[in-house]
Amino acid sequence: MMHSFETEFNINMIISAWKNFFKDSSLKVAHLELAKNENSLQIKLAALSTFTALMEGKINKQLKKVLKKIVKEAHEPLAVADAKLGGVIKEKLNLSCIHSPVVNELMRGIRSQMDGLIPGVEPREMTAMCLGLAHSLSRYRLKFSADKVDTMIVQAISLLDDLDKELNNYIMRCREWYGWHFPELGKIISDNLTYCKCLQKVGDRKNYASAQLSELLPEEVEAEVKAAAEISMGTEVSEEDICNILHLCTQVIEISEYRTQLYEYLQNRMMAIAPNVTVMVGELVGARLIAHAGSLLNLAKHAASTVQILGAEKALFRALKSRRDTPKYGLIYHASLVGQTSPKHKGKISRMLAAKTVLAIRYDAFGEDSSSAMGVENRAKLEARLRALEDRGIRKISGTGKALAKAEKYEHKSEVKTYDPSGDSTLPTCSKKRKIEQVDKEDEAIEKKAKRAKVKIKDTEEEVVQVVEEQETSVKKKKKKDKKKHVKEEPLSEEEPCTSTAVASPEKKKKKKKKKVNED
């Protein structure tokens, strides 16, 4: 028994010692791991701060210490991969720097052989360190340069369009619903927001006589509303119906207020991300162009001709398939510069605006400067060009303007401007049917000319035949006269037994000749 008790005691001692040992060792390992993690975190933070400073063209404290040591011993210029950083080093430390394609190749070779140049670091650890630095750098840039994130614009403009659709549906439903009770109010108050606010304040039609609407409506309109409420032809509705209509009105008012707030947010974000595009085409058109392309960088890769018809892809492919006139503009049609031009010059202005807008997009996407000076300058040029185009048709006829005035066709110019669809396309506007009709008309005209020529030829031939016949008859008459003279001059012979027969024979011949002439 004693022996078994001793063995159990020894076993328990061993187990407790083993547990204590592993407890201490696990704590030690945890401390070591924590220290290692803290050390690696500090190294990562130091690397991140150094790298961000280098990206911005600044000198870090550690880099300054290293460069000061180099300045004392250096006898040759320093090779630098970034020209901006080299300028800062030369300015602050008075150290000559070189930046060239040869230096870039040298830096590429150093990066490829980094594992061999730094001893004591395994390749796996080096790749993990590079990957961690890249992730932390991208996180830092996204965190501190949120103004350059254009996904907010894409979401904001999509939400704005959805809100407009929902507002239109809600307001239409509200007008139709309350129109059964007070139909005259919809014709008197045209503004949707004011209409909903009036409903929310008054409610039932009977309350308009005692309601004060001077805050919402002018005096004349208020008097008209009260007069219409007294003689309205609407039906009576219950209080429950009025409550539901008023709840819908509150929804419309809240959505419209949120829409104005969202529009202000979109304006501020557009001015932060793409100020030059905002100056050129406005906030809404610029945001719709960015949303249609997917991002500002994707939009910057498009050509000016693509930006011009962006948003009219269906019309373009339909025109190409049916061989009709291609569209001249898409989303850019809603820009203020295109809207204020006459229909004749809309295509020309949209083309010029697209070219200048592409320059503004690329400047905003790839440029470091966030000012809108370039957009203001280009807009001024376009406005001057627009004034020149508009004044060309209005200016007085003098000098070289006469030829221009003669070349232009007369158009009825009234005060009311109408939309001219002929300015939408660059291709000739006559269709295939028109072309076939023109060809048929030309063929008919040619046939008529040929018939007239044939009739003229026949008339001339008949005239020639008549002249020839007249000449022949005149010749025959002359011959007959000569023969008569010859017969009279011949002497009559007495020896002939019967003179009567001799004289009668030429008379008969004369009569026969006269008959022949008459028949001819």
Side-chain angles (χ1 to χ4, degrees), residues 162 314 347 374 376 430 482:
D162 293 339
K314 286 185 180 178
M374 193 264 284
V376 172
C430 64
D482 292 338

Side-chain angles (χ1 to χ4, degrees), residues 463-476:
E463 289 177 359
V464 170
V465 170
Q466 287 178 359
V467 171
V468 171
E469 286 178 354
E470 287 176 359
Q471 289 178 358
E472 287 178 354
T473 53
S474 61
V475 170
K476 285 179 181 180

Side-chain angles (χ1 to χ4, degrees), residues 451-505:
K451 285 179 181 178
R452 287 174 186 172
K454 287 180 182 178
V455 170
K456 286 180 181 180
I457 290 165
K458 286 181 180 179
D459 293 339
T460 52
E461 286 178 355
E462 288 176 358
E463 289 177 359
V464 170
V465 170
Q466 287 178 359
V467 171
V468 171
E469 286 178 354
E470 287 176 359
Q471 289 178 358
E472 287 178 354
T473 53
S474 61
V475 170
K476 285 179 181 180
K477 286 178 181 179
K478 285 180 182 180
K479 285 182 180 180
K480 286 176 184 178
K481 287 179 182 179
D482 292 338
K483 284 181 181 180
K484 284 178 183 179
K485 288 179 183 179
H486 184 67
V487 169
K488 287 178 181 180
E489 288 176 358
E490 283 181 357
L492 294 170
S493 59
E494 295 178 356
E495 295 179 356
E496 292 179 355
C498 55
T499 55
S500 61
T501 57
V503 175
S505 62

